Amino acid sequence: MPETIARADPAQESEPAVRRRGLRLLALVLAAIGAIVVFSVLSVLIGSRAIEPRVVWEALTAFDATHDAHLTIRLLRLPRTALVLLVGAALGVAGALMQAMTRNPLAEPGLLGVNAGASAAVATGVLVTGLARVEVYLWFAFAGAAVAAVAVYALGGALQHASNPVRLVLAGAALSVVLGSYTSAILVNFPHVFDSFRFWDTGSFQGRDGTVLPSVSVAIAVGLLLAVAIAPDLNALAMGAELGRTLGASPRRTWLLAGIAVVLLAGAATAAAGPIGFIGLTAPIVGRALVGPDHRRLIPFCALVAAVLLLAADILGRAVAVPSELQASIVSAAIGAPVFIWLVRRRRVPTL
């Protein structure tokens, strides 16, 4: 592990190698940003009814409140696109943080029960308050994500010096089953909760408008900033707790801040769009393959990759079932599940 980080340190590379690495990283970032721009345009154009590019441009530059297509673009498709990008970035970074904390490439909010905890808490919130507004159940999602994360880390031994990846995944799976059963019991016994909960639980962006953005964007922004801030400490601790301390990184403080960031990111993303799996698993795998293990590069790049993946899944879900749509969670699972299967079928589950 120390050797991996050492190779990722630009200070130990020749100047031409550093220049090549920088140019490659710049090209990858520009490609990801270009993909986001292209998919964002497609997201605005594609829906239950196609809208011509000319009409989209008019809606942006000469908005007419009496024009149905202009209202659709301004009030529905643009906010939805922004929300998909935010949720994707949040899930990608949350997955990267969880994999760094646990040194487990299988770690992600969906697989380790964090999404199930947020779902159970949201169902409880709807039952207790009788309200289904995101401003209300956002806080329940945060609480549920936090409790689930602490429980999985404790049961899986992730905070010990040598955690067992298989044990951690099993703990997440077991907790997901328990929380899923609890959520199902609420939905079966309280039909009014089911009526409000089922639209959220599908993991879809259908019907999400601009009212959701203010509530979740602040939490996601804080989580992303925390993740970027602790990236150097994550690099140091990847070489081991003792060596990390000698480099000035505090394991307790770093894990605490990383845990807070995961709760903010996964909780806000799940509250906004419902449970969406595999994005937090796939994006860090792609990120490490392209930019390496250095978290200073990996975390921002994971945000871009995950945003592209989720936006592509959302667009594909709308395109294959016109005039209806397929939930983004189903499409993202179709993308991420093969990656997960490939990982677990390897002879040895790698640690990070």
Side-chain angles (χ1 to χ4, degrees):
M1 190 56 170
E3 297 168 354
T4 301
I5 299 297
R7 287 196 299 270
D9 186 0
Q12 299 184 12
E13 295 182 282
S14 64
E15 183 177 346
V18 173
R19 188 180 300 111
R20 286 195 301 271
R21 181 185 294 274
L23 290 175
R24 183 172 184 272
L25 178 62
L26 177 61
L28 290 170
V29 170
L30 291 177
I33 294 174
I36 288 176
V37 172
V38 171
F39 284 134
S40 295
V41 173
L42 291 176
S43 179
V44 176
L45 295 175
I46 296 174
S48 57
R49 60 167 179 165
I51 297 179
E52 296 179 0
R54 174 184 56 81
V55 178
V56 174
W57 179 254
E58 291 174 354
L60 296 176
T61 58
F63 176 68
D64 182 0
T66 64
H67 198 299
D68 289 344
H70 288 196
L71 291 173
T72 299
I73 292 167
R74 282 289 191 96
L75 300 181
L76 293 177
R77 295 194 182 178
L78 285 176
R80 175 173 177 161
T81 300
L83 183 63
V84 174
L85 293 174
L86 277 175
V87 169
L91 293 175
V93 174
L97 290 176
M98 294 188 76
Q99 292 178 13
M101 294 171 67
T102 61
R103 297 188 183 183
N104 179 5
L106 302 181
E108 68 106 21
L111 294 175
L112 293 190
V114 176
N115 286 351
S119 298
V122 167
T124 303
V126 175
L127 174 64
V128 172
T129 65
L131 300 174
R133 297 197 308 268
V134 65
E135 296 85 354
V136 176
Y137 62 64
L138 179 65
W139 301 105
F140 287 94
F142 286 151
V147 172
V150 171
V152 170
Y153 294 156
L155 292 172
L159 300 182
Q160 300 174 2
H161 290 293
S163 62
N164 187 327
V166 175
R167 181 181 176 185
L168 196 68
V169 173
L170 289 176
L175 185 66
S176 295
V177 170
V178 172
L179 293 174
S181 299
Y182 167 79
T183 304
S184 298
I186 291 179
L187 300 181
V188 169
N189 290 282
F190 300 94
H192 69 281
V193 176
F194 174 75
D195 291 337
S196 300
F197 184 80
R198 64 190 176 96
F199 294 105
W200 172 86
D201 190 49
T202 55
S204 172
F205 295 93
Q206 186 175 14
R208 304 298 195 270
D209 55 25
T211 60
V212 180
L213 282 172
S215 301
V216 300
S217 58
V218 174
I220 291 176
V222 173
L224 293 176
L225 290 174
L226 273 178
V228 171
I230 63 175
D233 290 341
L234 291 175
N235 284 344
L237 292 175
M239 296 183 285
E242 295 301 326
L243 185 55
R245 288 190 185 94
T246 65
L247 296 175
S250 168
R252 179 173 297 180
R253 181 180 66 86
T254 302
W255 300 146
L256 176 62
L257 292 177
I260 293 173
V262 167
V263 169
L264 288 172
L265 294 169
T270 306
I276 296 177
F278 292 106
I279 294 295
L281 170 70
T282 307
I285 294 174
V286 174
R288 276 191 297 273
L290 293 177
V291 303
D294 188 343
H295 290 90
R296 293 170 298 180
R297 302 184 183 98
L298 178 61
I299 287 175
F301 193 69
C302 279
L304 296 176
V305 171
V308 171
L309 289 175
L310 189 56
L311 189 55
D314 185 53
I315 294 170
L316 184 59
R318 280 182 272 170
V320 299
V322 176
S324 183
E325 69 176 70
L326 196 62
Q327 287 80 7
S329 60
I330 297 175
V331 182
S332 66
I335 296 173
V339 177
F340 176 70
I341 294 171
W342 173 75
L343 278 175
V344 299
R345 286 182 61 87
R346 295 179 64 178
R347 293 181 181 178
R348 176 176 174 269
V349 177
T351 55
L352 302 180

